[in-house]
């Protein structure tokens, strides 16, 4: 059971979770971290489907790629936080009068609850023909390809790292295929040594490649984001 252990009158009340029968120590820790995470609270207050939304918000605040009128592909988009942010920032619903209207195409292995302003499809990005299918849905070039894809954890750090790099490389190849000159590629990677080849590849294709850990990314996680801007075409 969750209980409030701090004194009365304090603004930021810390929630402590007691261990309960049937709940492992790791899930107790996870629950306690969720209940005390300011980004989880903000996501609830601001109507985002998850705290991940703040990672793309912070990356976009720094690099400004989600501009009104931009055409965005979001790979691994479930439950939809990044798509929600993109819809607002690229003006997909035309809510910013006088500004260009953008588009958002979201892809995930899982079904995603509809998001007004986004076109969502359930697809394994690594399956045969996925690239061609995405290009067909897109119906033209994109300004931004972003990927928050993560393979289900195997529990083995190095295996997970190699899997995420494979997803990331596949996403980069899609980006090379569909990005407009000057476009941006954003992808989650896990620090762990095998990302050198990816960096080399991106440096050939983009004018700038930055590796960033936004404040919303948990400090105890090895994830970071690569933001490659200025696609050379
Ligand atoms: C961390 S979540 C994405 C969170 C999302 N950015 C948001 O803001 O809600 C990673 C997603 O990648 C998806 N994913 C992993 N491998 C995939 C694949 N091969 N094809 C499509 N989606 C994939 C997972 O299903 C999962 O929903």
């Amino acid at each position: 059971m969750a209980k409030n252990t701090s004194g009365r009158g304090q603004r930021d009340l810390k929630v402590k979770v007691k261990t309960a029968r049937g709940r492992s120590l790791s899930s107790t820790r996870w629950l306690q971290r969720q209940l005390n995470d300011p980004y989880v609270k903000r996501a609830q207050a601001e109507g985002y489907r998850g705290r991940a939304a703040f990672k793309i918000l912070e990356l976009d605040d720094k690099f400004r790629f989600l501009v009104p009128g931009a055409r965005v592909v979001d790979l691994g988009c479930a439950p939809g936080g990044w798509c929600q942010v993109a819809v607002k920032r690229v003006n997909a619903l035309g809510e910013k009068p006088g500004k260009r209207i953008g588009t958002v195409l979201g892809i995930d292995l899982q079904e995603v609850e509809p998001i007004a302003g986004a076109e969502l499809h359930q697809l394994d990005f690594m399956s045969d023909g996925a690239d061609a299918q995405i290009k067909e849905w897109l119906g033209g070039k994109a300004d931004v390809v972003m990927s928050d894809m993560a393979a289900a954890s195997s529990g083995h750090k190095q295996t997970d790292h190699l899997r995420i790099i494979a997803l990331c490389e596949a996403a980069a190849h899609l980006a090379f295929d569909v990005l407009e000159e000057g476009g941006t590629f954003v992808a989650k990677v896990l620090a762990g040594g095998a990302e050198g080849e990816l960096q080399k590849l991106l440096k050939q294709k983009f004018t700038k490649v930055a590796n960033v850990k936004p404040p919303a990314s948990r400090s105890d996680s090895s994830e970071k984001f690569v933001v490659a801007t200025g696609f050379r075409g």
Side-chain angles (χ1 to χ4, degrees):
M1 194 220 270
K3 86 172 184 178
N4 182 353
T5 56
S6 56
R8 285 170 65 199
Q10 286 187 7
R11 297 180 106 221
D12 203 9
L13 302 178
K14 194 141 185 148
V15 177
K16 186 141 172 43
V17 180
K18 281 186 178 174
T19 46
R21 200 179 297 162
R23 183 161 55 218
S24 68
L25 186 59
S26 67
S27 42
T28 302
R29 281 202 193 115
W30 180 87
L31 187 57
Q32 182 153 326
R33 190 170 69 169
Q34 282 294 103
L35 291 169
N36 291 300
D37 184 331
Y39 285 106
V40 172
K41 289 180 188 155
R42 265 185 75 190
Q44 283 162 356
E46 295 175 33
Y48 289 118
R49 292 186 183 175
R51 68 186 301 294
F54 296 103
K55 299 177 194 172
I56 200 70
L57 271 170
E58 289 169 353
L59 291 172
D60 186 50
D61 283 346
K62 195 169 161 85
F63 295 94
R64 304 265 172 218
F65 46 88
L66 295 175
V67 293
R71 295 154 296 174
V72 179
V73 182
D74 182 7
L75 301 169
C77 67
W82 283 29
C83 276
Q84 290 177 297
V85 170
V87 162
K88 279 191 200 161
R89 294 214 163 173
V90 306
N91 195 29
L93 288 169
E95 289 169 331
K96 298 175 184 166
K99 300 273 186 193
R100 292 175 59 215
I101 294 181
T103 56
V104 179
L105 173 68
I107 307 292
D108 204 285
L109 280 174
Q110 303 170 41
E111 200 172 335
V112 187
E113 286 285 308
I115 296 170
E119 179 184 333
L120 304 169
H121 293 279
Q122 191 172 5
L123 175 78
D124 179 352
F125 174 69
M126 299 300 268
S127 61
D128 284 347
D131 263 40
Q133 178 63 80
I134 292 170
K135 281 200 293 194
E136 196 183 315
W137 286 325
L138 197 56
K141 294 272 179 185
D143 301 295
V144 179
V145 173
M146 53 191 200
S147 162
D148 194 18
M149 283 187 290
S153 173
S154 66
H156 184 257
K157 220 173 164 185
Q158 189 60 14
T159 305
D160 290 347
H161 175 70
L162 293 171
R163 282 189 189 160
I164 202 165
I165 291 292
L167 277 172
C168 208
E169 280 181 1
H173 283 285
L174 173 79
F176 302 158
D177 224 10
V178 303
L179 274 183
E180 193 77 79
E181 212 175 309
T184 300
F185 174 66
V186 179
K188 174 161 74 187
V189 290
L190 297 180
E195 69 272 26
E197 282 304 309
L198 177 70
Q199 299 279 329
K200 219 191 287 172
L201 185 64
L202 294 177
K203 281 180 183 158
Q204 287 164 7
K205 300 277 188 180
F206 294 86
T207 52
K208 267 196 186 155
V209 179
N211 290 283
V212 197
K213 182 141 179 105
S217 175
R218 288 183 164 125
S219 53
D220 60 356
S221 125
S222 57
E223 80 174 11
K224 60 181 183 172
F225 291 84
V226 58
V227 182
T229 50
F231 181 57
R232 295 183 207 271

